[in-house]
Amino acid sequence: MELYDRLGYLFGTEEYVSMRRGLVLLREELLKYQFRYARQLFICSGSLGEGVAYPESDDDVMIYHTFTRVVKSYREATWRGDLLMIPSQYSPGYCLLLDVKQSYPAYIIHVIDKMPFLSSSKWKQYGLQEGESIHGPCQSQIIGAYEYDNALCIHFPSWPDVAKNWILRSRPHGWPSHDVVQNIIMNGCHVVPIGDQTSAYHQHEWRISFSMAERTLMHSFNHVQFLTYNLLRLCLKRVIGKGSPGVLCSYFMKTTSFYTAENTPSQLWQAENIDTCFKTCLSVLYDYVDHGYCPNYFISEYNMIKRKVNYTNLQPLLDIIRSLHDIGIVRTIHLCGESKCFDR
């Protein structure tokens, strides 16, 4: 229990994390009220939205309009601002958006085979303010020591066909629960303006984003799972990312945490087992890297690690992950420069 308490000091107690999440929801409601006439909605989708408060925490906000949406068929396209999803044939999770009603201005449209598509690159350039830059799918701004990312996304109220297997797959250990899965499906997902860099249409493609679903899943974690995930993120920032820079990102840690929680008994995730939980996640991550295949949690056909690991960075990365597994939580925390949590 002492180790669990020390990690709670480092990343937040269960009560403190719950309070932070409540403040995030309040922030969203205040933004909704402030921009009610613009019919904009806001989702705090970064680690702060998940209840993480740490120097490396990111403050990402997804912004979308209530009068624009993505649909799966012409029959569903009843709004003036509806966009028809045309899934990529080569990159699962990516798509083009057809302007069905031809209602969008020409400066954000790209014509392919005489058909008007909403261009992702033109979309995120639109409204870019002085001091802002493009960072992935986001309009990014640095204020002081902090970076703020706003993703101008579009709501997709249905559940994408490419992720149907996520709904249907067996969950023998009961996580996530049926109610959580149904809640996620009911809220749909979003598309964000970034394409697959290997695609001929990458400047105009969009990526399906499950950020809202991920936040719901993170909120359904028990506190041991939450602390374990945070420790993985800390290891990435302080150890893995320095030893093998640019290979893995925090999304790999989140994906590893989700799959591990889904495929292990709930009895494992107890305070007295937290070191074992940490090592179990590292073993899963090790296997992903070693096999060169890290499946997206919602779209298992999408290999997130493709083209990231090669013969020059594979072994150093495996060595770091194995080393963290072998030394356990206490020495890992010291290695991350956070020994102060043991000085209390």
Side-chain angles (χ1 to χ4, degrees):
M1 285 293 289
E2 181 184 359
L3 188 54
Y4 170 82
D5 293 335
R6 299 292 181 178
L7 288 175
Y9 167 75
L10 188 58
F11 299 117
T13 63
E14 191 167 0
E15 295 76 15
Y16 188 47
V17 170
S18 177
M19 181 188 69
R20 286 200 300 248
R21 290 171 176 170
L23 290 174
V24 167
L25 296 177
L26 177 60
R27 176 191 181 191
E28 290 179 354
E29 287 300 314
L30 291 173
L31 287 169
K32 178 182 176 181
Y33 180 78
Q34 181 181 355
F35 292 92
R36 62 193 182 280
Y37 297 118
R39 296 171 66 186
Q40 285 183 330
L41 294 178
F42 298 79
I43 300 171
C44 300
S45 59
S47 55
L48 288 176
E50 296 165 352
V52 180
Y54 213 68
E56 289 91 346
S57 297
D58 48 338
D59 187 15
D60 298 344
V61 177
M62 299 175 69
I63 306 170
Y64 65 98
H65 290 91
T66 58
F67 51 81
T68 304
R69 65 179 180 178
V70 176
V71 297
K72 290 198 289 187
S73 67
Y74 280 101
R75 180 174 51 83
E76 296 176 5
T78 57
W79 295 5
R80 186 171 182 270
D82 281 346
L83 296 156
L84 178 64
M85 174 180 284
I86 310 295
S88 169
Q89 297 179 352
Y90 309 104
S91 304
Y94 290 89
C95 62
L96 291 169
L97 299 179
L98 178 64
D99 181 9
V100 181
K101 307 290 185 179
Q102 299 188 24
S103 58
Y104 289 84
Y107 55 81
I108 54 174
I109 291 295
H110 180 76
V111 177
I112 302 174
D113 295 332
K114 299 182 179 181
M115 302 178 73
F117 290 90
L118 191 64
S119 169
S120 58
S121 59
K122 295 178 181 179
W123 173 270
K124 60 189 173 186
Q125 287 286 345
Y126 176 69
L128 198 66
Q129 303 294 316
E130 184 178 354
E132 293 181 336
S133 60
I134 299 300
H135 179 208
C138 301
Q139 295 177 340
S140 181
Q141 186 176 25
I142 297 176
I143 302 176
Y146 295 93
E147 182 176 6
Y148 299 89
D149 290 336
N150 293 330
L152 304 180
C153 59
I154 302 173
H155 190 215
F156 183 21
S158 302
W159 191 254
D161 292 339
V162 72
K164 274 189 175 178
N165 285 340
W166 179 80
I167 302 174
L168 302 174
R169 72 181 180 222
S170 174
R171 296 181 172 89
H173 303 293
W175 189 93
S177 69
H178 174 76
D179 289 345
V180 169
V181 171
Q182 292 304 308
N183 177 263
I184 287 172
I185 297 168
M186 181 181 66
N187 286 306
C189 54
H190 298 80
V191 294
V192 293
I194 190 167
D196 177 11
Q197 295 303 307
T198 64
S199 168
Y201 301 114
H202 74 273
Q203 292 286 340
H204 314 294
E205 281 183 336
W206 297 68
R207 186 180 70 208
I208 300 173
S209 169
F210 298 97
S211 290
M212 188 64 183
E214 290 157 12
R215 191 175 81 170
T216 300
L217 289 170
M218 193 62 63
H219 288 193
S220 76
F221 266 178
N222 70 24
H223 202 55
V224 173
Q225 292 166 327
F226 176 78
L227 293 175
T228 304
Y229 163 64
N230 275 275
L231 186 55
L232 289 172
R233 290 184 78 253
L234 186 65
C235 289
L236 173 70
K237 298 289 186 180
R238 303 285 180 85
V239 182
I240 299 174
K242 291 183 178 179
S244 293
V247 182
L248 302 182
C249 65
S250 59
Y251 197 71
F252 287 92
M253 306 300 116
K254 183 184 292 184
T255 300
T256 297
S257 299
F258 286 162
Y259 270 118
T260 307
E262 183 174 306
N263 294 315
T264 53
S266 58
Q267 293 86 346
L268 171 68
W269 301 95
Q270 305 298 322
E272 62 271 17
N273 299 330
I274 196 162
D275 190 59
T276 302
C277 296
F278 175 62
K279 291 182 176 181
T280 302
C281 287
L282 286 174
S283 295
V284 172
L285 180 62
Y286 184 95
D287 287 342
Y288 288 155
V289 174
D290 191 32
H291 291 96
Y293 198 96
C294 179
N296 180 276
Y297 182 66
F298 295 96
I299 306 173
S300 56
E301 297 83 7
Y302 175 42
N303 179 15
M304 302 194 307
I305 211 168
K306 186 179 180 181
R307 295 185 296 272
K308 288 183 176 291
V309 174
N310 52 52
Y311 70 93
T312 59
N313 59 30
L314 174 61
Q315 196 56 52
L317 184 56
L318 289 175
D319 289 344
I320 294 172
I321 297 172
R322 184 189 298 113
S323 175
L324 292 171
H325 176 278
D326 292 345
I327 65 177
I329 284 184
V330 175
R331 291 181 62 190
T332 293
I333 291 175
H334 282 274
L335 192 62
C336 291
E338 293 295 341
S339 57
K340 65 178 183 293
C341 72
F342 291 100
D343 299 333
R344 299 177 69 228

